[in-house]
């Protein structure tokens, strides 16, 4: 058993050998990474023994909370029995069969089939190929353009990063987006709504999609892809009128509707899936994260019956991964989803802890001078750091203020995420009402310090 190295040793070796994702390595290595060693419920511990409230459930994924020994026991048993076999050549195994059956049970009506991947990005890339294959089998191969949203996030693969609307990801060494990917503006009322009511703006934002479809030509548009709530874009919650209107437009022009449920799926909004929270009906939806609560990498594409039937008609669908439906990941995901269902965790988010968080979140943050658009649903919430709350004036140099705020929270052992100047939170779904109170009391203290810091730096 490896002797536990000191924090200093771990940092030095990490700096010498580990390239971190989405990181300026030089900058990170000047300060050293924080070494996380343990998790339990909503808490993490670092190598210095500090207890941390994880207001982000890792990366929006540890829905069931840390430290579930039942999941690690399932993993060990499966690994001892069958650590790996593939599902390529007319083979399957009990773990992936049980998971597939369970997912068909928890999925909304019309979704009987899942395709497995190892991540959200792979789920999105799989969806892109499925959508294009669907139209090819239907004899409309030219219908291949997918439309996403600016500031949407769909992963880091070439397809996912192209479909995403993070412009900086298109520039950074990727020469993205790939051909056949277009974007429309996001349904962000607070920043783009002007004098419109949210309801008016939701319809206007949906019309941007109709305009884009007509600009490209309906006979060339394959699908529209969106997160029910844009997560990494800053928890952008669309007005109530947006998604039903998007669905109407997609039906009008025979465009497939795809929900990217990688963050919103598996109870995050209080519903099993985010599209159920906003009342629309996708043809396909992509998942990962909460599927296994991050205990092992696994993703799943839920394929609507209409699309599955067309794929079946097309014979071989030449796509898939070595670890598609990996036995250990499938077994852990099955145990995780069963627990989310059988322990009433999602039900509690919908009826107890979600409403409680949303009430307390608004009470705590609405009183701060430089906080606007306090928002959230279920256990995904945010607020926007603003220069002038009355006029909705944002800070210049988007992101600079967000990082100041995030670092104050981190110094106080509370993990929240700065997406630009949006401060966001998505804790494990097992968070209790008392833990919500504790988290928000600490957050309020951090915000007092943050607003003092703004004044001390003459940023307001
Ligand atoms: C909606 C959505 N779709 C696809 C992906 C890609 O999933 P993978 O990372 O498993 O390939 C995501 C992932 N979302 C994600 C991943 C990493 C960091 C953050 C952040 O907000 O800091 C968000 C996501 O949020």
């Amino acid at each position: 058993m490896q002797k536990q190295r000191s924090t200093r040793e771990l940092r030095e070796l990490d700096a010498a050998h580990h390239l971190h994702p989405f990181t300026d390595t030089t900058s990170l290595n000047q300060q050293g990474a924080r070494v996380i060693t343990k998790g339990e419920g909503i808490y993490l511990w670092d190598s210095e023994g500090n207890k941390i409230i994880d207001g982000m459930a890792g990366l929006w994924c540890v829905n069931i909370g840390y430290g579930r020994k039942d999941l690690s026991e399932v993993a060990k048993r499966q690994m001892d029995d069958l650590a790996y076999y593939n599902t390529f050549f007319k083979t399957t195994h009990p773990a992936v069969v049980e998971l597939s059956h369970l997912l068909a049970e928890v999925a909304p009506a019309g979704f009987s089939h899942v395709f497995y991947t190892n991540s959200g990005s792979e789920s999105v890339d799989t969806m892109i190929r499925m959508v294009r294959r669907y139209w090819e089998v239907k004899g409309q191969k030219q219908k291949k353009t997918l439309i996403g949203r600016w500031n949407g996030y769909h992963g880091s693969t070439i397809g996912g990063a192209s479909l995403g609307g993070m412009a900086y990801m298109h520039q950074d060494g990727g020469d993205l987006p790939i051909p056949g990917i277009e974007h429309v503006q996001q349904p962000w009322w607070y920043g783009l709504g002007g004098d419109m009511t949210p309801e008016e703006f939701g319809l206007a934002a949906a019309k941007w999609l109709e305009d884009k479809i007509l600009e490209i030509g309906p006979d060339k548009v394959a699908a529209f892809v969106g997160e029910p709530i844009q997560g990494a874009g800053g928890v952008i919650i669309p007005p109530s009128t947006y998604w039903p209107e998007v669905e109407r437009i997609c039906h009008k022009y025979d465009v497939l509707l795809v929900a990217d449920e990688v963050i919103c799926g598996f109870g995050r909004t209080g519903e099993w899936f985010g599209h159920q929270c906003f009342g629309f009906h996708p043809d396909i939806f992509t998942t990962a994260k909460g599927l296994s609560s991050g205990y092992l990498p696994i993703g799943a594409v839920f394929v609507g019956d209409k699309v599955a039937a067309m794929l079946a008609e097309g014979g071989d669908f030449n796509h898939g991964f070595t670890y598609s439906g990996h036995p250990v990941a499938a077994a852990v995901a099955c145990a995780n989803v069963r627990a989310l269902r059988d322990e009433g965790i999602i039900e509690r988010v919908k009826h107890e802890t979600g409403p409680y968080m949303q009430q307390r979140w608004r009470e705590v943050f609405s009183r701060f001078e430089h906080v606007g658009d306090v928002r959230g649903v279920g256990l995904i919430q945010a607020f926007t750091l603003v220069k002038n709350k009355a006029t909705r004036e944002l800070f210049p140099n988007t992101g600079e203020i967000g990082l100041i705020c995030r670092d104050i929270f981190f110094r106080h052992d509370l993990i929240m995420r700065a997406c630009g100047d949006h401060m966001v939170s998505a804790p494990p779904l097992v968070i209790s009402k008392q833990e919500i109170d504790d988290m928000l009391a600490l957050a309020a203290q951090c915000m007092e310090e943050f607003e003092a810091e703004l004044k001390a730096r003459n940023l307001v």
Side-chain angles (χ1 to χ4, degrees):
M1 182 76 170
Q2 169 75 44
K3 173 182 162 303
Q4 183 61 50
R5 294 179 188 271
S6 70
T7 302
R8 184 180 56 76
E9 274 185 287
L10 288 167
R11 279 184 177 150
E12 283 170 0
L13 289 171
D14 190 71
H17 307 296
H18 179 193
L19 295 175
H20 291 240
F22 280 87
T23 294
D24 173 339
T25 300
T26 307
S27 161
L28 171 65
N29 292 343
Q30 281 159 0
Q31 59 191 16
R34 189 163 191 180
V35 181
I36 305 298
T37 56
K38 187 179 178 329
E40 189 72 37
I42 70 162
Y43 301 103
L44 295 167
W45 282 263
D46 70 10
S47 54
E48 294 299 299
N50 298 304
K51 183 178 181 182
I52 302 162
I53 296 177
D54 184 7
M56 279 306 294
L59 285 175
W60 323 72
C61 55
V62 190
N63 291 18
I64 204 161
Y66 296 99
R68 289 288 299 239
K69 297 295 180 283
D70 53 334
L71 296 192
S72 52
E73 281 154 17
V74 163
K76 179 178 182 339
R77 266 201 312 277
Q78 179 62 51
M79 198 167 276
D80 290 344
D81 290 348
L82 181 68
Y84 173 76
Y85 198 67
N86 69 74
T87 55
F88 272 60
F89 305 117
K90 299 186 180 1
T91 53
T92 190
H93 51 76
V96 78
V97 172
E98 293 302 337
L99 176 59
S100 305
H101 182 215
L102 176 63
L103 294 183
E105 285 180 337
V106 302
F111 286 90
S112 312
H113 296 89
V114 289
F115 188 101
Y116 293 104
T117 70
N118 305 289
S119 66
S121 299
E122 286 187 3
S123 290
V124 168
D125 278 38
T126 297
M127 174 275 297
I128 293 172
R129 298 195 66 190
M130 276 184 177
V131 159
R132 290 178 165 171
R133 178 67 180 152
Y134 171 85
W135 289 112
E136 183 182 46
V137 174
K138 275 179 77 78
Q140 294 173 267
K141 190 175 168 65
Q142 82 292 346
K143 219 168 151 70
K144 64 172 68 171
T145 297
L146 291 93
I147 301 171
R149 279 99 51 94
W150 292 117
N151 200 39
Y153 186 75
H154 300 293
S156 272
T157 42
I158 297 290
S162 291
L163 191 56
M166 305 284 183
Y168 63 87
M169 289 179 74
H170 294 168
Q171 291 134 23
D172 291 0
D175 193 16
L176 303 179
I178 56 174
I181 303 287
E182 297 280 347
H183 299 89
V184 291
Q185 199 36 284
Q186 59 180 326
W188 180 34
W189 173 79
Y190 192 84
L192 302 172
D195 298 331
M196 283 187 266
T197 65
E199 292 69 27
E200 289 165 342
F201 176 71
L203 296 174
K207 183 142 185 346
W208 293 334
L209 171 61
E210 183 166 35
D211 294 345
K212 179 61 78 174
I213 291 170
L214 292 170
E215 174 196 318
I216 298 166
D219 62 332
K220 294 189 180 60
V221 179
F224 174 68
V225 184
E227 305 153 79
I229 294 172
Q230 290 154 251
V235 184
I236 307 299
I237 302 174
S240 61
T241 51
Y242 178 75
W243 277 117
E245 182 65 2
V246 162
E247 183 171 53
R248 186 191 66 78
I249 290 165
C250 287
H251 290 171
K252 179 178 178 183
Y253 296 102
D254 199 13
V255 168
L256 291 178
L257 177 55
V258 179
D260 185 345
E261 297 272 7
V262 169
I263 282 180
C264 289
F266 296 101
R268 180 55 59 195
T269 67
E271 300 293 346
W272 271 92
F273 300 101
H275 64 268
Q276 296 167 311
C277 182
F278 291 94
F280 70 99
H281 310 83
D283 297 297
I284 300 177
F285 60 94
T286 50
T287 71
K289 293 187 191 283
L291 172 57
S292 64
S293 288
Y295 278 58
L296 279 173
I298 184 171
V301 180
F302 286 70
V303 184
D305 294 345
K306 174 175 84 172
V307 178
M310 198 48 62
L311 292 176
E313 204 175 296
D316 266 354
F317 175 54
N318 295 306
H319 175 78
F321 308 97
T322 299
Y323 303 135
S324 286
H326 187 286
V328 186
V332 168
C334 200
N336 171 67
V337 172
R338 278 198 185 117
L340 291 174
R341 180 189 63 185
D342 301 345
E343 294 174 21
I345 293 170
I346 298 178
E347 278 303 299
R348 239 185 341 276
V349 174
K350 181 170 185 173
H351 296 297
E352 292 173 42
T353 50
Y356 186 71
M357 169 67 92
Q358 296 313 316
Q359 171 204 330
R360 298 283 294 114
W361 184 265
R362 286 159 176 75
E363 284 168 0
V364 168
F365 294 112
S366 297
R367 63 182 175 83
F368 287 95
E369 185 185 355
H370 293 286
V371 167
D373 198 13
V374 184
R375 60 193 182 273
V377 59
L379 285 176
I380 181 170
Q381 47 278 338
F383 55 82
T384 304
L385 301 170
V386 295
K387 190 151 190 179
N388 184 320
K389 186 154 65 171
T391 63
R392 301 187 350 227
E393 183 191 358
L394 304 174
F395 281 105
N397 311 323
T398 302
E400 174 191 355
I401 299 296
L403 289 179
I404 294 170
C405 192
R406 188 262 330 250
D407 289 349
I408 291 172
F409 277 69
F410 203 39
R411 276 204 303 276
H412 286 278
D413 296 333
L414 169 50
I415 296 177
M416 286 191 7
R417 171 106 166 68
C419 301
D421 288 338
H422 307 287
M423 285 297 288
V424 311
S425 165
L429 304 186
V430 293
I431 192 169
S432 67
K433 287 184 176 180
Q434 180 58 56
E435 288 167 338
I436 289 171
D437 287 341
D438 297 345
M439 173 181 153
L440 294 183
L442 181 52
Q445 184 189 324
C446 295
M447 286 305 290
E448 299 288 353
E449 190 174 317
F450 166 71
E451 293 211 327
E453 182 74 11
L454 286 182
K455 292 182 172 59
R457 295 195 193 191
N458 295 318
L459 291 167
V460 289

